[in-house]
Structures are given as structure tokens and as C-alpha cells.
Amino acid sequence: MGSPSVLTCTGLDLLDDLSKRVTGDCTPHKQAPVASKSATGEAIPQPLPDRRPLPPGAFDDTDALLAAEGGTHYWYITNVINLFLWAPCQGAAGFATPLVMPEGWSLLHMESTPPQGPYKIAIPMYAVLKSGDGKQLAVVIRGTRTAVEWQVDMTYVQTKDASYPGLVSKGFSFGAALLWPALESILLKEVVQGGVTDVTISGHSLGAALATLLAYRAQVLLDDKLAAAGKPLVAVGALLFAPPNVGSDAFVADFNKRVNARRIAFQWDIIPQVPCAPEYGRCKLWGQSKGKLDASFCSGYPYHEPEYPSKGMGSKVVVGNKPHDNSKPFELIIGGK
């Protein structure tokens, strides 16, 4: 395989032009109500059982884990998608429609991206929710919405960042660094100085990549500050839906020791496979049919559709040789045969 192609000046100009816009419509009316009880009648969300150190691959008891935690997974992905639908309404008439709040929870903080492009677009990137009893914090991070964020997604070269062991994606570490100061202040106030005893960080796609890095930094911070304060340690939970790969073997090994995460991916979803070079065995060449590459599978996120993946009008997938080891935290593989 050859080296990744380099965007021409024309291509970069096009991306710069697109960065003036927010991708997707303002559709706050599509937000879903967030149930406070699971299908079995259990109150949700529940703190994730601490399963550290995490296994290097998938859980052996995926079905049992989903049966036990599925309601909590649903609660988080619903809030993440609601934020995704609501966020682009910044500056539009529809923005008067509020973000749907789960019953018994309040909005503690909303963090926006820095203004992007000539039109200075800044839209909410993550929301911090606090439970009515004051014990739980939920951080929900949306997926990609602007062309600038697509550039962050595609800046996959690995780099050294003092906040993490090993190497991490340059684009994702840049994004996480912008979002960290506000979250750090909240964790110090609400957990170290306050009464919060459970923290879970969740995201989808780009949001899952950022959640991976922010959850790691949150765990390092809380381990240090809570120990110094003589308070019980808190296991930071991370629910990562369709997360791209963010770091090297060294990062993943330490992440799996520290963070109580669940990496949730559909087997044929392309996003959790990237950045990835095809010679690595752990990177599935998605859409394989009868031993040959078949890129006709749709790449989407219908977590509510058990028939996923569906075969149809999928975008053509071009696999390039990327200077990246494809190490990743363990995952739950859903669907696919």
C-alpha cells in the first residue's frame, strides 16, 4: 500500500470554505425522551461495575454484560444523540428549543467548541449532567458536526503528548486539550471538594475518541487529588460508542488498567477501525464477502436496529497505509458474522 494521499490546495480551500458551516440540519424536535427506568424496571443509569483491569480484547461474557448494563448504555447514547441533534441550532430560530433533560437530572455545564471558520461558529460539544441526589456526574460528548471537526478526525498521525503514555492521535489530543480545562475544574469542585461519587464520560464517534482521552485524564486527576485529600477513590466510567482508535499500545495498556470503560462497536462499522493499516490482523477489512473486499455495506449508527449492518448504498471505502499502530481498548462487538 502507498502512503496516504496529500490534499491539494484546492481540496484545502474547499475544506476551509466548508468550515464556515455546521453539517446537518437543526433538528431539536427529533430529540428522544430519556427513560429513567430500563425495560426490566431498574432505575437508570447505574454506575458501571468496576471491571478493571480490562481485557485486551472483547469481553467473554458480552451477552451477560449487555443484559446487566444495557439500560445504562441506552441512557447514555440517547443523551449523546440528543446533544448531537440539538447542538447545530446555535444561532438558528430553533435554538429556542431546549436540550431534553433526563428525568431527575439537571444541566451543570455546557462546553462549546472554539469559534470555527470565518463565520465564527461555536456550537456545544459536551454537556455535564448532575443527578438529583448529587452523587452522579454524566458527561455526554457529541459526534462530528463541522468541517473543522472533520479535519480533527483526519489528523490521525500519532504524536507524543505529556498527558498520556505512548503516542496518541494528534487531532484527537488537540480536541481533548481544548475541552479539558472546563472539565478539570468541574471534577475538582464536584468530586474532590464535593459529594459526587460516580463519574461516567460517554461519546459517539468523534465524541467517543474525545471521551477516551478525557476519561483517562479524569482518572489520573482523581486518583491523585482524592488520595491527597484522603477520600475514597472513584473509578471513572467510559461508555464509548463507535470510537476511532486513539493511541498506541503503550497508551492502550495503561488506559485498560486505569479506566473502567466499555468500547461498543458494530463489527462492520468503519469508524472503530480507523486509523488503521490493513496489514494489522486486528483491523477487520470491513464488508468482506466471499473472501473479497466489498465496500457496499452502509456505515451508520442505527444502534436501535438489530438488523445492522444492512447492505445498500454505502460509500466507497479507500484503505490507505497509515503510520499508526491500531491498538485500541477492548470492545464489545455487536452484530456481524
Side-chain angles (χ1 to χ4, degrees), residues 210-258:
L210 298 174
T212 302
L213 296 176
L214 292 174
Y216 181 88
R217 293 189 70 164
Q219 189 67 74
V220 171
L221 174 75
L222 293 179
D223 282 350
D224 178 54
K225 299 300 183 181
L226 289 173
K231 297 182 69 173
L233 298 183
V234 169
V236 174
L239 277 171
L240 313 171
F241 297 93
N245 301 316
V246 302
S248 65
D249 283 335
F251 169 77
V252 173
D254 204 45
F255 178 94
N256 285 352
K257 291 178 183 177
R258 290 179 180 269

Side-chain angles (χ1 to χ4, degrees), residues 80-285:
V80 168
I81 297 302
N82 280 349
L83 180 62
F84 178 82
L85 295 170
W86 178 81
C89 301
Q90 174 76 48
F95 200 70
T97 302
L99 176 66
V100 169
M101 283 288 106
E103 182 181 350
W105 289 69
S106 60
L107 178 62
L108 185 66
H109 179 77
M110 186 80 71
E111 187 72 9
S112 294
T113 58
Q116 301 177 32
Y119 294 167
K120 303 302 181 185
I121 298 170
I123 64 174
M125 189 72 208
Y126 72 75
V128 182
L129 312 179
K130 188 175 182 179
S131 62
D133 63 5
K135 299 296 185 183
Q136 291 179 278
L137 282 187
V139 182
V140 294
I141 312 175
R142 64 168 174 82
T144 306
R145 270 303 195 184
T146 71
V148 169
E149 290 165 11
W150 278 113
Q151 290 176 300
V152 169
D153 293 338
M154 290 184 278
T155 308
Y156 55 76
V157 63
Q158 287 192 336
T159 187
K160 184 65 180 176
D161 185 316
S163 299
Y164 314 100
L167 301 174
V168 292
S169 160
K170 185 175 181 179
F172 297 142
S173 65
F174 170 78
L178 293 176
L179 300 175
W180 172 247
L183 182 58
E184 179 183 29
S185 296
I186 291 168
L187 293 172
L188 291 173
K189 178 180 178 180
E190 299 291 335
V191 184
V192 179
Q193 300 168 11
V196 169
T197 57
D198 180 70
V199 177
T200 300
I201 302 175
S202 181
H204 172 253
S205 193
L206 166 61
L210 298 174
T212 302
L213 296 176
L214 292 174
Y216 181 88
R217 293 189 70 164
Q219 189 67 74
V220 171
L221 174 75
L222 293 179
D223 282 350
D224 178 54
K225 299 300 183 181
L226 289 173
K231 297 182 69 173
L233 298 183
V234 169
V236 174
L239 277 171
L240 313 171
F241 297 93
N245 301 316
V246 302
S248 65
D249 283 335
F251 169 77
V252 173
D254 204 45
F255 178 94
N256 285 352
K257 291 178 183 177
R258 290 179 180 269
V259 184
N260 184 35
R262 311 289 186 267
R263 188 177 195 273
I264 304 166
F266 285 93
Q267 187 170 2
W268 302 120
D269 186 351
I270 187 62
I271 301 302
Q273 309 301 333
V274 297
C276 177
E279 62 265 26
Y280 295 128
R282 291 176 66 191
C283 289
K284 307 174 191 69
L285 290 176

